[in-house]
Amino acid sequence: KRVINMKRNERLVDFTNFLLNRPNRMLNLNEISKRYEVAKSSISEDLVFIKRVFEDQNIGIVETFPGSLGGVRFTPYISDEVSRDRALELADLLREENRILPGGYIYLSDILGHPSNLKKIGQIIAHEYCDKQIDVVMTIATKGIPIAQSVAEILDVPFVIVRRDPKVTEGATLNVNYMSGSSSRVENMTLSKRSLSIGQSVLIVDDFMKGAGTINGMKSLVHEFDCFLSGVAVFLEGPFKGERLVDDYKSILKVDQIDVAQRTIEVELGNIFEEK
């Protein structure tokens, strides 16, 4: 769609929004020039301003590629420092009073139900995998869904939802049995056969990990679909005595101890930040 008769400041606003809504895509400069009906040199000058602001404000990286088919690509990006600061903000939320539920469970619904928190979680995870080839984000219903959506939106890829019970609306499904990491019970999970294509690269995300049985089951599904696992990332890593079924994962936050009597949680940064 062409946008004509715009003043430069108006074009800068529209062009910025155009890039923000098309993350990780190679955009042709000739097509952008036609969109605004201005010379490519004017578009290049606009990109100098946008690039500087995006980098200064930790919005992302703008790359331009020369040649007759030259293009521009916007990659959402936050610095290591900003990623760490946002994780610390999330940790403060976890330490709030009345978050401990009977049985030692942690109440997360309010955190995972707030758009600004989900954006932070999505940015932190996407930051870890922005330099990897990710075709699909995978999670299991239900609390992992908003996290998967946030990550997928930033990476500009689809996300798929694994379920514990097949749904008639999913069509034909592929099922796997897996061992629960915390209860050592054999359970089942299912995914529509239309969800993945052979050879795709999959990033698994989830809200909470304890024994990692569920994540191990999703790994099995990835292999059953003849796809590749690019990584595993969780928002919260809970305390667990014993050996987890998955050891190659990244966590944003880690709970060291839950004191039910005192209703307190000891929270620290997860292993995403160990080398930063």
Side-chain angles (χ1 to χ4, degrees):
K1 181 180 178 180
R2 293 190 176 185
V3 183
I4 59 176
N5 297 324
M6 271 191 172
K7 297 178 181 179
R8 190 186 184 196
N9 58 349
E10 295 172 330
R11 186 176 74 240
L12 278 169
V13 173
D14 188 82
F15 191 11
T16 298
N17 186 60
F18 184 80
L19 292 173
L20 288 172
N21 288 323
R22 293 161 179 81
N24 300 298
R25 302 185 199 178
M26 182 65 74
L27 305 174
N28 186 278
L29 288 178
N30 288 326
E31 294 299 321
I32 295 174
S33 177
K34 291 178 182 178
R35 170 184 169 85
Y36 296 106
E37 294 195 344
V38 296
K40 282 178 64 176
S41 59
S42 296
I43 296 299
S44 297
E45 291 174 359
D46 291 348
L47 286 170
V48 172
F49 288 100
I50 295 173
K51 175 182 174 69
R52 184 171 64 242
V53 172
F54 276 22
E55 292 180 358
D56 288 346
Q57 299 300 315
N58 269 287
I59 297 171
I61 297 172
V62 176
E63 299 174 280
T64 54
F65 302 86
S68 58
L69 298 177
V72 57
R73 181 174 61 205
F74 160 61
T75 304
Y77 181 84
I78 56 176
S79 67
D80 291 347
E81 182 180 1
V82 169
S83 179
R84 187 182 186 90
D85 287 345
R86 292 181 180 171
L88 290 172
E89 292 169 2
L90 294 167
D92 287 339
L93 293 177
L94 274 174
R95 296 188 186 102
E96 292 176 346
E97 295 182 1
N98 300 320
R99 196 163 289 284
I100 305 298
L101 300 173
Y105 294 98
I106 304 173
Y107 183 69
L108 295 176
S109 295
D110 59 333
I111 295 177
L112 299 181
H114 200 291
S116 66
N117 296 331
L118 287 169
K119 183 176 181 180
K120 292 173 185 176
I121 295 170
Q123 287 175 327
I124 295 169
I125 294 176
H127 173 64
E128 292 301 307
Y129 295 95
C130 62
D131 59 345
K132 296 184 182 294
Q133 176 62 44
I134 305 294
D135 298 313
V136 180
V137 176
M138 174 187 284
T139 194
I140 190 164
T142 57
K143 288 184 179 178
I145 294 175
I147 294 177
Q149 182 177 8
S150 180
V151 176
E153 182 178 6
I154 295 170
L155 296 177
D156 195 35
V157 298
F159 71 94
V160 299
I161 304 169
V162 177
R163 303 185 186 277
R164 290 184 170 85
D165 298 305
K167 304 289 185 182
V168 65
T169 53
E170 296 287 286
T173 60
L174 193 154
N175 306 317
V176 298
N177 292 322
Y178 68 99
M179 184 71 71
S180 169
S182 55
S183 63
S184 297
R185 295 197 310 264
V186 176
E187 300 186 15
N188 181 267
M189 62 174 58
T190 179
L191 182 64
S192 170
K193 288 187 176 180
R194 300 188 183 193
S195 296
L196 298 175
S197 300
I198 293 175
Q200 286 188 307
S201 179
V202 181
L203 171 63
I204 293 175
V205 303
D206 207 358
D207 63 315
F208 185 80
M209 183 185 72
K210 201 170 183 180
T214 301
I215 288 174
N216 197 41
M218 285 192 280
K219 287 180 63 176
S220 296
L221 270 176
V222 171
H223 297 309
E224 287 294 328
F225 274 88
D226 289 327
C227 292
F228 301 97
L229 181 65
S230 291
V232 173
V234 298
F235 167 52
L236 185 60
E237 172 187 352
F240 182 71
K241 294 180 180 179
E243 186 175 350
R244 286 192 169 97
L245 297 177
V246 173
D247 56 12
D248 187 11
Y249 64 89
K250 294 187 177 183
S251 60
I252 296 177
L253 297 176
K254 178 180 179 181
V255 173
D256 282 332
Q257 186 175 346
I258 299 174
D259 190 325
V260 178
Q262 297 295 323
R263 304 179 69 83
T264 59
I265 307 174
E266 292 185 12
V267 185
E268 63 179 36
L269 293 181
N271 61 14
I272 279 180
F273 305 98
E274 284 183 353
E275 299 179 359
K276 297 183 180 180

